[in-house]
Structure formats: structure tokens, C-alpha cells
Amino acid sequence: MLELRDANGTLVLAIVIEVQRDEDPDKKFSWPVYATVVRARKRCGTVVLVVAPGADVAAWAAQNIDVGLGFGHIKPLVLGPAVVPEITDPAEAEKETELAVLSAVAHGNGPNGLAVVQAALVALERLDQEHAAVYFQVIWNGLREPMRQALEALVMERQIEDEATFPSFMQKLIDRGKIEGELKGIREGELKGKKDTLLRLLARAGIALAEDESERIQACTDIATLDHWIDNVLGAKTAAEVLS
């Protein structure tokens, strides 16, 4: 939530900000709540600002919300691709860095997405490391996989050509995401292997599983617990003994 104050420090407007990537019918009920509750607490005018990277979602979010029998409605303010300029010029992006970041979020997956993202990233170089990293994470989270791959390929190309045109933290964050993904994949593979081993041993021992017992095994995410259950199969007569 943002608070706007006048020259005397008096609160004149509260802005409740919501990032919306997909249509969600529940939001048509929660957004009026945000506006009325904040208005009651802050004792000032209140609006809901929806940031929608997708044009379809932006159009959906901008619709009037009837609060009852047509006697009143709330209309969120919407920040979508139609109202955010497409900034591809790095010089222009440096002058309006925050606007360039919004442009990257709104248009980063469009036809000129790579140029828009590059301009925003160049603009981030003038910021301190902490703020630049946060802005980059916002941009990165808004990109779909094809554009992420294109950006990764561009970074790799610039590294090969020894052209340091992107902030160093950017490669670190991309690499961190890759490492986290690889570790997650390794862990998921290990869990699946343990579960498969346990199920094979149970089948060989002639121990039948009830539906809830099978679900318990599939839901387990602890390697040590699975190892314990595997050890329990030897000498066990029932599934309850194995899963004890």
C-alpha cells in the first residue's frame, strides 16, 4: 500500500497495489474489501491499483464491480500494457528507471520483449546493488520461459564476446535460479527412487497397501523417513509395521 500526503503531511490518498497475472473471480469480491477497509482505517480516499502484465487480464480487471443491486460499484485502476509505454531506448530508460522496469514487466514477453528488457537492465546499472537486484528479480519473475531462455542466451553470448554490458548481479541471479532448479530436480529424482524402491520391496514381501497408506508414501518428502520405511520392510507382516 502506498500513502500520498500533501505538503503538510496530511494523508490524502491510499493506494492498494495488487499484481494480477491471471483472471481470478475471487478478486472481484476481495478488491472492494481492500478499498473499504483501508478507507475506514486511514480515513482518506482509497483506490485499488491492479498491475496486470497481460492485456486480457488488464481488460478483465478494469471492469466495474457491482457491490449490490446496481446501487454502487468500484472500478479498480489498472496498469497494463495499454497504458505503459514500450521503452526500448537505453538512454530513455536511464532517465525513467522505474518506468523502464514497469515497461519490462508489461512488454517483456511481447514481440519487442528482449529489447525492452535490455533497456531496463542497462538502466539498472545506475542503481545501487541492492535495489538493482530487487528490480531485476521483479522483471525476471514476470518473464515467461521463452524470454528467459532468450535472455540467458544473450548473457552467454556477451560473456563469450567479453562484452560486460549487463550488471554482474544479473548473471548471479540467473545462475542461482538454474542451480536451485537443478537441486530441486536432483531431490525430486532421489525421492522418486526411494518411493519406487519401497513399493517394489512391499510387493515382493506380499504386503498390500490401503489407499491412505499408498497416499502417505507418495506424499512423503523426507528422505530419512523413506529410508526408515525401507528398512522396516524386512521382517514386517503388515503395511502398518512398515510405516511405523
Side-chain angles (χ1 to χ4, degrees), residues 127-143:
L127 302 179
D128 61 85
Q129 185 89 354
E130 182 179 357
H131 285 85
V134 170
Y135 279 145
F136 174 72
Q137 192 71 68
V138 170
I139 295 172
W140 181 256
N141 290 344
L143 296 179

Side-chain angles (χ1 to χ4, degrees), residues 57-161:
V57 176
W60 164 81
Q63 298 170 355
N64 284 340
I65 302 173
D66 183 5
V67 295
L69 298 177
F71 288 113
H73 70 271
I74 289 179
K75 184 179 179 64
L77 298 177
V78 178
L79 189 62
V83 297
V84 177
E86 191 176 74
I87 300 177
T88 58
D89 183 359
E92 183 181 354
E94 288 183 344
K95 294 178 182 177
E96 297 285 352
T97 301
E98 284 74 16
L99 184 59
V101 171
L102 281 177
S103 180
V105 173
H107 302 288
N109 296 298
N112 299 319
L114 193 56
V116 174
V117 172
Q118 285 187 78
L121 294 177
V122 171
L124 295 186
E125 293 183 7
R126 73 177 184 84
L127 302 179
D128 61 85
Q129 185 89 354
E130 182 179 357
H131 285 85
V134 170
Y135 279 145
F136 174 72
Q137 192 71 68
V138 170
I139 295 172
W140 181 256
N141 290 344
L143 296 179
R144 297 191 180 95
E145 193 58 34
M147 189 55 64
R148 287 187 177 188
Q149 292 177 0
L151 185 57
E152 290 172 357
L154 182 61
V155 173
M156 182 69 70
E157 177 185 332
R158 297 294 172 82
Q159 286 180 332
I160 293 174
E161 296 175 354

Side-chain angles (χ1 to χ4, degrees), residues 3-238:
E3 297 181 353
L4 300 184
R5 299 178 181 274
D6 62 18
N8 298 319
T10 303
L11 182 60
V12 294
L13 181 66
I15 305 174
V16 181
I17 301 175
E18 178 98 324
V19 177
Q20 195 67 34
R21 302 182 186 280
D22 302 295
E23 293 186 17
D24 182 354
D26 289 341
K27 294 301 176 70
K28 298 292 184 167
F29 295 93
S30 60
W31 286 339
V33 174
Y34 298 164
T36 54
V37 170
V38 172
R39 181 174 180 271
R41 289 178 177 174
K42 299 295 183 179
R43 300 296 181 184
C44 69
T46 302
V47 296
V48 174
L49 173 61
V50 180
V51 180
D56 291 344
V57 176
W60 164 81
Q63 298 170 355
N64 284 340
I65 302 173
D66 183 5
V67 295
L69 298 177
F71 288 113
H73 70 271
I74 289 179
K75 184 179 179 64
L77 298 177
V78 178
L79 189 62
V83 297
V84 177
E86 191 176 74
I87 300 177
T88 58
D89 183 359
E92 183 181 354
E94 288 183 344
K95 294 178 182 177
E96 297 285 352
T97 301
E98 284 74 16
L99 184 59
V101 171
L102 281 177
S103 180
V105 173
H107 302 288
N109 296 298
N112 299 319
L114 193 56
V116 174
V117 172
Q118 285 187 78
L121 294 177
V122 171
L124 295 186
E125 293 183 7
R126 73 177 184 84
L127 302 179
D128 61 85
Q129 185 89 354
E130 182 179 357
H131 285 85
V134 170
Y135 279 145
F136 174 72
Q137 192 71 68
V138 170
I139 295 172
W140 181 256
N141 290 344
L143 296 179
R144 297 191 180 95
E145 193 58 34
M147 189 55 64
R148 287 187 177 188
Q149 292 177 0
L151 185 57
E152 290 172 357
L154 182 61
V155 173
M156 182 69 70
E157 177 185 332
R158 297 294 172 82
Q159 286 180 332
I160 293 174
E161 296 175 354
D162 199 25
E163 294 183 15
T165 55
F166 293 122
S168 59
F169 68 82
M170 181 179 142
Q171 181 62 58
K172 292 178 182 179
L173 285 174
I174 291 177
D175 287 343
R176 187 182 70 184
K178 289 180 178 178
I179 292 171
E180 289 175 350
E182 290 173 359
L183 291 176
K184 181 180 179 182
I186 291 172
R187 175 172 174 78
E188 289 177 350
E190 187 176 2
L191 284 170
K192 184 179 184 303
K194 296 286 186 182
K195 292 173 185 177
D196 289 345
T197 297
L198 176 58
L199 293 174
R200 284 199 302 270
L201 291 175
L202 286 169
R204 288 178 184 176
I207 298 176
L209 291 172
E211 183 178 352
D212 62 325
E213 292 168 336
S214 180
E215 291 176 350
R216 184 180 174 191
I217 291 174
Q218 294 302 328
C220 182
T221 58
D222 183 65
I223 297 292
T225 298
L226 290 169
D227 283 334
H228 177 67
W229 290 345
I230 289 172
D231 292 339
N232 285 351
V233 175
L234 184 62
K237 301 292 186 182
T238 65

